[in-house]
Amino acid sequence: MATPEGNFDDNLEKEFYIPTYILAPDASQSEGLHLSDVPTCPVLVFINSKSGGQLGGDLLHTYRSLLNKYQVFDLGEETPDSVLRRLYLNLEKLKSNGDEYATKLEERLRIIVAGGDGTAGWLLGVVSDLKLSQPPPIATVPLGTGNNLPFSFGWGKKNPGTDQNSVISFMKKVMDAKEMKIDSWHILMRMRAPKEGSCEPIAPLELPHSLHAFHRVSSSDDLNVEGFHTFRGGFWNYFSMGMDAQVSYAFHSERKMHPEKFKNQLVNQSTYARLGCTQGWFFASLFHPSSRNIAQLAKVKIMKKHGEWQDLHIPHSIRSIVCLNLPSFSGGLNPWGTPNSNKRRDRDLTPPFVDDGLIEVVGFRDAWHGMVLLAPNGHGTRLAQAHRIRFEFHKGATDHTFMRIDGEPWKQPLPVDDDTVVVEIAHLGQVKMLATHDCRSKSINDPSSHVNHDGDDGDSGGEEDSVGEEQRKFGAAETFKIPDEVDIAHLS
């Protein structure tokens, strides 16, 4: 192992370093290793080297200089599913041969992933899909633009330092972090195949490419329906639809055409604000046709109890709707807030726990309405909490709308005849995150999360269903593997 400056070497080996024979099946076993030598916090490090401008590459170099180069992976060179499959197959072989060191190391193993929310979600989906007997908890390094995932769990939202001291400081925080489970959500979209024209209702490159993607299901998948196109995917933080997704789509389209203008985080954020103005989001009542308001676009149903769908009333002024899992949206805002005791009693609303199997559904009228999130106790229009939610789009209001999953937007065609486009979101499962002890995410199993805070003073302006085995996966380990021709810098 390379020796960094100072006296870090011995401590890093005892705390984080993984021997080569654990990582490489063909490596000879190290002699003289005992149970007492197992590192306190062995880490696998996955880095999107193209995230954050030069930061991803710099971070990769620093981690490889501090740790075993075989425990640090560039996601531009190797996918996380191939890495984890190889590692866990080797661990099983070693354990079956009586290797107690390997057994103890597996129990302590943690993952660090550095990149944007798309990169972090990709790792989460792979770990979820592989269904490991002891899935490692995951810490996220913020290298993207929004960084909602890292911010939700206390890892910050600013791009971190890449020098040795900064990296060692982060690893120490990972060692001290607590484990917290987080809900994952399956999303399905189904539309009738067109009678003529292109067989693809959505151009493939228009769709998000990471885990948070719809993907045509195979003919053997029981979600497929004859005569329909079916897409499936998953998300960790949010699904949104309407005008906020339209602004996001304009931003991503401009970044795709002029990538050289989007290498600075501050410039990116100011460009986003400018597009919010030019797209009419701040003056939606004047520039946004009411035919595109959510209530005109779709009939919405929610499921609070097993097998019982009920209609959800959407006020006619709502132009954007967000289905939210984590308390961080658009760079750290919390659209749900904390309902006060009256709201909890009268409307059966709870705080936004990340592991309660419920998704929070929030509406916004325009960007000015969104600005209330900057105020203490500010929040959007609370519409519901549910285990499942279903949008049914019928012919009429418009031929398209805009949708977004965890920061990745696309333009969605809507019916031109009497058919229906269906988007359905359902609770999928859970995965283990690593969180700092003062993070904003709250667990329903943590007694300190249930302290009866009074919360806000008013609304701005309202059993898990069983699913088949095919639906109990993201497909991130195979189906959602990023295509070779896609530049993963755009995932951040």
Side-chain angles (χ1 to χ4, degrees):
M1 179 173 66
T3 303
E5 296 176 3
N7 299 317
F8 296 136
D9 188 56
D10 288 344
N11 285 336
L12 287 176
E13 187 148 345
K14 291 176 182 175
E15 293 171 345
F16 307 106
Y17 187 87
I18 301 177
T20 301
Y21 91 97
I22 296 284
L23 301 155
D26 298 329
S28 58
Q29 183 165 347
S30 300
E31 296 294 332
L33 284 176
H34 305 286
L35 274 180
S36 58
D37 299 321
V38 177
T40 309
C41 179
V43 291
L44 290 177
V45 183
F46 294 91
I47 297 173
N48 182 344
S49 59
K50 295 182 180 179
S51 279
Q54 184 62 33
L55 290 176
D58 292 346
L59 208 57
L60 187 71
H61 175 76
T62 303
Y63 270 102
R64 283 180 172 168
S65 73
L66 291 171
L67 301 172
N68 187 336
K69 64 179 182 179
Y70 293 111
Q71 73 189 91
V72 182
F73 304 93
D74 183 351
L75 288 170
E77 298 175 354
E78 194 168 14
T79 61
D81 45 314
S82 61
V83 171
L84 292 174
R85 279 199 181 99
R86 182 176 69 242
L87 172 66
Y88 277 86
L89 283 172
N90 194 41
L91 283 171
E92 288 304 314
K93 182 181 74 173
L94 294 170
K95 289 191 299 180
S96 66
N97 292 333
D99 189 328
E100 295 182 348
Y101 185 100
T103 300
K104 181 59 69 174
L105 186 139
E106 181 183 16
E107 293 174 1
R108 297 180 180 180
L109 188 64
R110 296 186 163 195
I111 286 177
I112 295 173
V113 54
D117 282 339
T119 304
W122 185 24
L123 246 297
L124 290 169
V126 167
V127 171
S128 176
D129 277 355
L130 292 180
K131 300 195 183 323
L132 305 167
S133 57
Q134 296 186 73
I138 299 168
T140 53
V141 181
L143 283 187
T145 302
N147 299 319
N148 289 296
L149 263 166
F151 186 61
S152 295
F153 295 95
W155 302 110
K157 56 182 175 181
K158 292 185 178 179
N159 301 151
T162 59
D163 60 282
Q164 288 188 352
N165 285 325
S166 297
V167 167
I168 290 170
S169 175
F170 187 89
M171 287 196 292
K172 295 283 188 184
K173 290 178 182 177
V174 169
M175 184 166 61
D176 296 335
K178 64 180 180 180
E179 291 188 15
M180 179 181 286
K181 289 187 176 180
I182 170 181
D183 291 324
S184 60
W185 296 86
H186 181 273
I187 185 162
L188 174 143
M189 180 166 64
R190 182 174 288 132
M191 63 188 75
R192 185 173 293 281
K195 296 174 183 176
E196 55 187 33
S198 172
C199 64
E200 287 288 356
I202 307 171
L205 292 180
E206 289 271 310
L207 291 170
H209 293 295
S210 73
L211 163 69
H212 320 295
F214 293 112
H215 191 78
R216 179 79 64 80
V217 301
S218 68
S219 57
S220 61
D221 193 319
D222 63 8
L223 295 177
N224 221 342
V225 175
E226 184 67 31
F228 286 80
H229 286 311
T230 304
F231 297 79
R232 63 178 308 162
F235 66 93
W236 303 95
N237 192 5
Y238 68 87
F239 165 82
S240 71
M241 177 181 65
M243 201 157 186
D244 81 292
Q246 179 178 337
V247 175
S248 178
Y249 182 80
F251 172 84
H252 279 254
S253 298
E254 191 162 319
R255 183 166 69 171
K256 187 181 291 185
M257 288 188 292
H258 305 287
E260 71 281 357
K261 297 180 181 179
F262 292 83
K263 293 185 177 181
N264 179 283
Q265 195 174 25
L266 191 60
V267 170
N268 292 358
Q269 291 167 346
S270 62
T271 302
Y272 206 102
R274 173 178 60 79
L275 289 170
C277 294
T278 59
Q279 293 287 319
W281 184 213
F282 279 91
F283 302 98
S285 59
L286 297 176
F287 297 104
H288 184 77
S290 60
S291 62
R292 291 192 183 178
N293 291 3
I294 302 302
Q296 297 290 100
L297 287 177
K299 184 175 183 179
V300 185
K301 297 181 178 181
I302 59 171
M303 185 181 291
K304 288 190 170 184
K305 296 180 180 179
H306 173 66
E308 296 182 13
W309 287 103
Q310 61 187 74
D311 292 336
L312 178 64
H313 171 69
I314 308 292
H316 286 282
S317 59
I318 297 298
R319 298 177 175 88
S320 181
I321 195 167
V322 182
C323 301
L324 189 71
N325 188 39
L326 303 180
S328 181
F329 175 73
S330 289
L333 303 176
N334 184 1
W336 186 257
T338 303
N340 63 24
S341 53
N342 291 335
K343 294 293 183 298
R344 299 185 202 189
R345 181 187 66 243
D346 299 340
R347 295 185 56 196
D348 191 27
L349 300 180
T350 72
F353 298 118
V354 299
D355 56 353
D356 59 358
L358 293 173
I359 198 162
E360 283 72 42
V361 186
V362 187
F364 291 97
R365 297 185 297 273
D366 51 32
W368 296 115
H369 189 188
M371 295 288 278
V372 304
L373 300 181
L374 300 175
N377 300 327
H379 60 87
T381 299
R382 298 188 186 109
L383 299 172
Q385 287 173 304
H387 293 293
R388 303 185 82 158
I389 182 167
R390 180 182 177 97
F391 299 89
E392 296 178 354
F393 300 88
H394 301 279
K395 173 188 175 183
T398 184
D399 61 358
H400 70 273
T401 187
F402 295 88
M403 297 181 181
R404 182 163 63 140
I405 297 178
D406 285 0
E408 299 178 72
W410 73 98
K411 184 176 180 179
Q412 173 59 44
L414 295 181
V416 294
D417 48 31
D418 293 328
D419 289 320
T420 301
V421 171
V422 172
V423 174
E424 186 173 317
I425 296 167
H427 185 254
L428 173 64
Q430 293 183 327
V431 71
K432 290 188 291 186
M433 295 292 294
L434 286 169
T436 62
H437 291 271
D438 58 350
C439 73
R440 61 164 41 196
S441 291
K442 302 300 179 186
S443 167
I444 196 169
N445 298 309
D446 181 359
S448 65
S449 298
H450 294 267
V451 177
N452 187 21
H453 300 296
D454 225 11
D456 56 78
D457 57 4
D459 263 328
S460 299
E463 294 285 329
E464 180 186 346
D465 193 23
S466 59
V467 292
E469 180 59 31
E470 276 296 330
Q471 193 164 329
R472 290 193 178 280
K473 65 182 180 182
F474 285 104
E478 296 172 356
T479 321
F480 295 104
K481 184 168 62 178
I482 299 177
D484 293 337
E485 67 273 13
V486 176
D487 181 354
I488 61 174
H490 294 302
L491 296 182
S492 298

